[in-house]
Amino acid sequence: MRRHLLFCGLAFVSVCLGATEKRISSPDGRLEVIVTDSCGAASYSITYDNELFVAASPLGLKTNIGDFTSGLSMGSKIIDSMADVSYSLPNIKKSNVNNKANVTVIPFIRDGRNVFDVEFFVENNDVAFRYNIYPDGETLCCVVEDEATGFRMPDGSTTFLCPQSAPMQGFARTSPSYETPYTLDGKTGENGWGEGYTFPCLFRNSDKGWVLISETGVDSYYCASRLMGGNGNLYKIGFPNPDEFNGNGTSQPGIALPGKTPWRTITVGQTLAPIVETTIPFDVVKPLYEPSKDYTKEYGCGTWSWIIKGDASMNYDEQKRYIDFCADMGYRTVLVDALWDTQVGYERLEELARYAKNRNVGLYLWYNSNGYWNDAPQGPRGKMDNIIKRRKEMKWMQKVGIKGIKVDFVGSDKQLTMKLYEDILVDANEYGLLVIFHGCTIPRGWERMYPNYAASEAVLASENMNFSQGSCDAEAFNACIHPFIRNTVGSMDFGGSTLNRYYNSANEPGGSRRVTSDVFALASAVLFQSPVQHFALAPNNLQDAPDWAMDFMKNVPTTWDDIKFIDGYPGKYIVMARKHNGKWFISGVNAQDKTVKLKLDLSTFFNKGDMVRLYSDDAELKGSLSEIKISKKQTLTLSVPKNGGFVMTK
């Protein structure tokens, strides 16, 4: 800890005597966080290999028991420690995590008392920090009215951001649902559509590297946040819009004292590898309860009829057909989507569940989260928002043998909504149900916090390709974004890997047409990470899709032991590798108008002389399967056309 004579201000210069500085280094010494109390304001900055990645950025909070953004001084009782981060978690990108971190807790004093600490957790490419807020005498709770917490990007930075939508907009007034298109290579100083940006947020630090900003550890004790721009290079934490959730619930979180805020996370790297491979969302959180059973046995592939055949497919006979298809594929579950309560009915659903069990197939059931916060009419409605009805419904599902639920149309980040997410998860665990959320926020460490959490949508997912040709035309572009941004922080329920050429039951011209290749569909099954994958395959694919494609999709894993970023650029192309049970899957897709030519170093993944399967496209997007031998140099030159892809595995 150092004391300096510091200068602050731009339009004028003022002298701040006795400012204190604390430096926190990563275990390898390459990343450094510098924290100061210059001019009575807490701030931090981050360097990597002595290059600035986050410029001096504010810390602090405004609460209803005090404004803790000024008049601060750093306390002397700073606590430094080291942490060994070791855990197993099969439902994220890396099943066994072994990291080291330097942990520093810095007290900040105002008017002679410790008002909050900032706890920093620093790994080799990752920084997480949170506030520990203290009581004021007998005052044991407060409302956090605002956070000064900011992230100032260096000059020359560009942005890769997803604008937050205004509340109570879109379909049946269900926004925000984290389903807006990304703006890539943008300039700093903007604020999306006026509502800031949804996490995670990616920045390019000119030619020096990359910065990913997000948050983790959000539960019922706080709200989720967004990133607000519009102030030059400075972005700050923003609480939910008060109009979200139809105005119900406060946008400012209440917190018991002493209490902790969620973690703000920053990942930096000279390449995109630390961004794609980070595990920081899970490293700083802990399980909140014990699983009621071993959910890992229920991860795997599945199918769903709605993506190809829409609402009309929600009938007993078609769902039975998809159960047979699921069994033929060797898949685990069928997602029975919206309207099953009226178009199949509870009694016949029980019959369907018995039939599925006899075919060694489980069922997921769709539910509307509503409620009193939007107008989505699809049923079952009014079951998940009330503890009495919810637990009664879940008890019935347990009796019938349902494996999981998909809860849709949540549309808010308020603390009240975080409690709803948590309550659904906790109750579902009691009845042995896995949970997928749609029309929802991103997960924030939930894979580790809630053992029966499976995945969230929180992305412009496959359903949009059923809705419009424009989404089909942009499929490759979006697939080259999600591994760099959305899927870096948590499981993504995309529901893709379509092998139908057309999004209709006949697979004939009419409606939306897929423009990507069959190999692209295989590659995206590897690129998109979620332990439960309901793919957009259809029974007709057993006859009209290539045998090599269906054989691959029958055996593609959904859980992974390791991940390696190889090459790519957001929105242009992506090449990455995932490992399952000792076997690497290297996959890539291309969204550029030109063919991308790759020279791949395979020494990490295969031995010389290994025979591997290569799924690849020619210039006309005609896919094929070949067997190749790894050369002595362990390299491969490969061309990937626009809307095409490749997969390589032993």
Side-chain angles (χ1 to χ4, degrees), residues 19-189:
T20 305
E21 179 186 276
K22 171 66 179 177
R23 292 176 177 257
I24 312 160
S25 296
S26 59
D28 65 4
R30 299 179 68 182
L31 184 152
E32 189 171 51
V33 182
I34 304 99
V35 185
T36 76
D37 60 2
S38 176
C39 301
S43 68
Y44 75 100
S45 58
I46 299 174
T47 63
Y48 189 83
D49 282 351
N50 297 314
E51 292 283 0
L52 187 66
F53 272 72
V54 178
S57 302
L59 297 167
L61 311 116
K62 291 183 179 180
T63 77
N64 65 345
I65 62 170
D67 181 346
F68 307 134
T69 61
S70 61
L72 300 169
S73 62
M74 195 182 298
S76 60
K77 295 182 180 179
I78 295 175
I79 301 173
D80 294 305
S81 62
M82 296 182 62
D84 286 318
V85 184
S86 298
Y87 58 92
S88 296
L89 197 61
N91 54 339
I92 61 171
K93 65 185 80 170
K94 191 173 183 178
S95 61
N96 292 291
V97 176
N98 294 283
N99 293 332
K100 293 186 180 298
N102 289 328
V103 181
T104 297
V105 180
I106 304 174
F108 282 91
I109 312 299
R110 179 171 175 173
D111 299 330
R113 76 176 185 91
N114 187 185
V115 291
F116 65 78
D117 302 333
V118 185
E119 181 179 357
F120 285 91
F121 182 98
V122 182
E123 296 179 333
N124 284 343
N125 289 91
D126 300 285
V127 176
F129 64 88
R130 65 180 175 182
Y131 300 97
N132 305 326
I133 311 174
Y134 289 99
D136 182 7
E138 296 181 356
T139 302
L140 299 179
C141 64
C142 74
V143 173
V144 181
E145 297 173 340
D146 188 31
E147 283 194 32
T149 310
F151 311 86
R152 193 184 306 275
M153 296 297 105
D155 290 341
S157 295
T158 50
T159 68
F160 299 73
L161 303 175
C162 180
Q164 179 122 333
S165 54
M168 306 304 292
Q169 303 291 316
F171 172 74
R173 301 195 300 163
T174 56
S175 67
S177 54
Y178 284 44
E179 296 178 26
T180 55
Y182 284 84
T183 299
L184 306 185
D185 295 294
K187 62 182 181 180
T188 57

Side-chain angles (χ1 to χ4, degrees), residues 87 92-99 123 125-126 202 212 267-269 271-283 482-485 487-490 529 561-567 574-578 584 604-605:
Y87 58 92
I92 61 171
K93 65 185 80 170
K94 191 173 183 178
S95 61
N96 292 291
V97 176
N98 294 283
N99 293 332
E123 296 179 333
N125 289 91
D126 300 285
L202 181 65
L212 182 76
T267 301
V268 303
T271 71
L272 283 159
I275 307 298
V276 173
E277 299 169 13
T278 183
T279 57
I280 192 63
F282 319 106
D283 294 353
H482 304 323
F484 294 113
I485 308 178
N487 218 180
T488 62
V489 298
Q529 181 266 320
D561 299 316
D562 205 355
I563 180 175
K564 295 289 182 185
F565 169 74
I566 298 174
D567 197 5
I574 171 71
V575 182
M576 63 186 293
R578 296 190 190 274
W584 284 100
T604 300
F605 315 107

Side-chain angles (χ1 to χ4, degrees), residues 310-453:
D311 291 346
S313 70
M314 199 47 54
N315 61 75
Y316 180 88
D317 291 339
E318 192 63 17
Q319 295 311 300
K320 186 176 177 182
R321 185 170 175 236
Y322 266 79
I323 290 169
D324 291 337
F325 173 51
C326 185
D328 291 341
M329 292 292 291
Y331 284 1
R332 301 188 66 87
T333 55
V334 169
L335 168 62
V336 183
D337 218 289
L339 306 177
W340 64 264
D341 58 327
T342 53
Q343 295 180 194
V344 177
Y346 278 78
E347 188 173 322
R348 296 218 75 189
L349 194 284
E350 293 186 15
E351 185 180 332
L352 199 67
R354 289 192 294 271
Y355 180 81
K357 183 178 180 180
N358 288 334
R359 299 233 56 191
N360 199 30
V361 173
L363 300 182
Y364 276 71
L365 298 184
W366 184 96
Y367 280 87
N368 194 330
S369 72
N370 239 339
Y372 45 81
W373 46 83
N374 60 55
D375 306 320
Q378 290 89 343
R381 189 173 186 270
K383 303 281 189 179
M384 288 295 120
D385 63 306
N386 178 274
I387 186 172
I388 298 171
K389 294 179 180 179
R390 179 173 63 239
R391 289 175 64 85
K392 182 179 179 181
E393 194 82 357
M394 289 178 175
K395 185 177 181 180
W396 168 78
M397 283 187 269
Q398 184 182 51
K399 183 189 74 171
V400 172
I402 302 303
K403 298 298 183 183
I405 56 175
K406 170 183 170 182
V407 183
D408 208 340
F409 302 132
V410 188
S412 172
D413 281 334
K414 290 181 176 180
Q415 186 173 13
L416 178 67
T417 324
M418 297 303 110
K419 186 177 185 303
L420 175 66
Y421 283 118
E422 186 171 89
D423 288 348
I424 290 171
L425 285 159
V426 171
D427 284 346
N429 179 60
E430 184 168 335
Y431 294 100
L433 299 168
L434 281 163
V435 181
I436 296 171
F437 292 110
H438 268 232
C440 58
T441 194
I442 61 162
R444 292 164 162 88
W446 293 355
E447 288 89 336
R448 194 175 182 198
M449 295 162 63
Y450 304 107
N452 59 319
Y453 169 80

